[in-house]
Amino acid sequence: MVSDLLHHLDTHKSMGPGRIHPRVLRELVEVLTKLPSILYQQSWLTGEVPVDWRLASVMPTYKKGQKEDLGNDRPVSLTSVPRKVMEQIILSATTRHVQDNQGIRARQHGFMKGRSCLTNLMSFYDKVTRLADEGKAVDVVYLDFSKAFDTFSHSILLEELAAQGLDRHAFHWVKHRLDGWAQRVVVKGVQSVGGRSQAGSVLGPVLFNTFINDLDEGIECTLTKQHQSGGRSVDLLNGRKALQRDRDRLHRWAGANCMRFNKAQCQVLHLGHNNPMQRYRLGEEWLESCLAEKDLGVLVDSRLNMSQQCVQVAKEANGILAYIRNSVASRTRAVIVPLYLALRDIEGLERVQRRATKLGKGLEHKADGEQLRELGLFSLEKRRLRGDLIALYSCLKGGCREAKQPQFPQPLPISLVLQTLPQLRYSSLDTLQPLNVSLGVRGPN
């Protein structure tokens, strides 16, 4: 197992405070496997965590809001590579235990195998848009924990892990890992020590999922635990009262579990015609209403229109393309194509793709279809359709099988899938070429 983990180390990751680059461990895996294996086995059996593994270097990463406000930065911990490998071993044992005992409830999408931000958005807004299509008024309340990964209670987490019957060795290792945890900020060779953050660690996400596992207990509305957003029909007074009761339950849960909401980031989005525009409280403070809110990176407005999102991403992509054009002298395909592939696949980028393909040497005067064929690229339309089908397959097969219940209350008709699939059989290039739709294929060959 250790050899396999070392073989799959990402050589682009930081080496952290341990000063051992992942490329060194990966390239010398045949020579170095034995010594780390002994170290990891001893750490597993005794539950002891080496002192060097308890230290992390902190890097601030911008989250959202005003960039000038340091409070909008998220502290991400850079830890040593040997520690990350050990955490992968503990993570494997913990994840296996959680899945076997259904320790994480079905509403959780974040950091879960077979699920993602995409499945979270699809599951939640499938219910919201269905209510809106029926002509009902819907209120969506977005909540945000303040520095969630940094402040959750270790003692409560350990009680939850013990209650779930986590393996004795894994439990003691996690307990010792949380004790004496320290981080430092290094600026021009000067170091500061103090505080703690789970952001950036391998185990942090699954531990946080375990901590908030009972967050939705007693909740009446549709709740997504990844972003703590909840929504329901509010045509009737009973619906509005139920949504307020849920806010009260969540506020009490946060107080009982030593968590705080960042109330400046908590807002209400009113959807549907004749919406009563009800105001809601979180504790003693009233929540502000908004016309649009960014939910897991996607900008959602009160009309459920994605045009603002497309405009925003297209603007960013055009900025990236301008930077590539002005700062990179080479026009060879080996340079231009990888740089361009960093751009996002949304409809507003069709024009960006056409401009990008013309940057390739010898392609300036060729038609769009010929340019794509020469570069081995799909049109963005085909790439979006392929991505949608992969997500559909993941929702209907992968996510449902692991959660043991469907993510959508009503199954999609198979006729819809069968009507869509033939569109992927051939590319839109001048010559019809069979299209391989396996997950690893990126070009039309």
Side-chain angles (χ1 to χ4, degrees), residues 44 90 93-94 161 166-175 203:
W44 167 266
I90 303 297
T94 305
L161 291 174
L166 182 64
D167 178 89
R168 178 172 59 89
H169 295 300
F171 177 82
H172 283 102
W173 198 95
V174 172
K175 183 176 184 300
L203 274 178

Side-chain angles (χ1 to χ4, degrees), residues 270-304:
H270 302 286
L271 308 173
H273 298 291
N274 300 319
N275 192 298
M277 309 296 285
Q278 174 75 21
R279 295 194 69 191
Y280 300 95
R281 288 180 296 101
L282 186 61
E284 300 298 325
E285 297 188 27
W286 292 97
L287 299 180
E288 297 292 333
S289 298
C290 61
L291 296 177
E293 173 68 12
K294 181 164 283 191
D295 190 1
L296 297 175
V298 177
L299 192 63
V300 182
D301 66 15
S302 57
R303 296 179 299 168
L304 292 175

Side-chain angles (χ1 to χ4, degrees), residues 416-434:
L416 175 62
V417 180
L418 294 177
Q419 290 173 8
T420 308
L421 283 174
Q423 300 181 46
L424 273 184
R425 294 183 63 91
Y426 297 96
S427 69
S428 62
L429 304 181
D430 295 339
T431 58
L432 295 179
Q433 296 176 322

Side-chain angles (χ1 to χ4, degrees), residues 311-343:
V311 170
Q312 178 179 325
V313 179
K315 181 180 178 180
E316 294 175 359
N318 272 310
I320 295 173
L321 183 58
Y323 179 80
I324 293 172
R325 184 180 61 247
N326 296 332
S327 61
V328 179
S330 174
R331 290 294 184 264
T332 62
R333 301 175 191 180
V335 173
I336 294 298
V337 172
L339 289 174
Y340 169 70
L341 288 177
L343 299 177

Side-chain angles (χ1 to χ4, degrees), residues 220-241:
E220 303 174 59
C221 70
T222 299
L223 177 71
T224 165
K225 293 168 72 174
Q226 187 162 347
H227 195 206
Q228 294 83 49
S229 55
R232 66 167 296 147
S233 172
V234 293
D235 289 287
L236 302 178
L237 180 61
N238 287 340
R240 300 192 287 275
K241 287 184 176 180

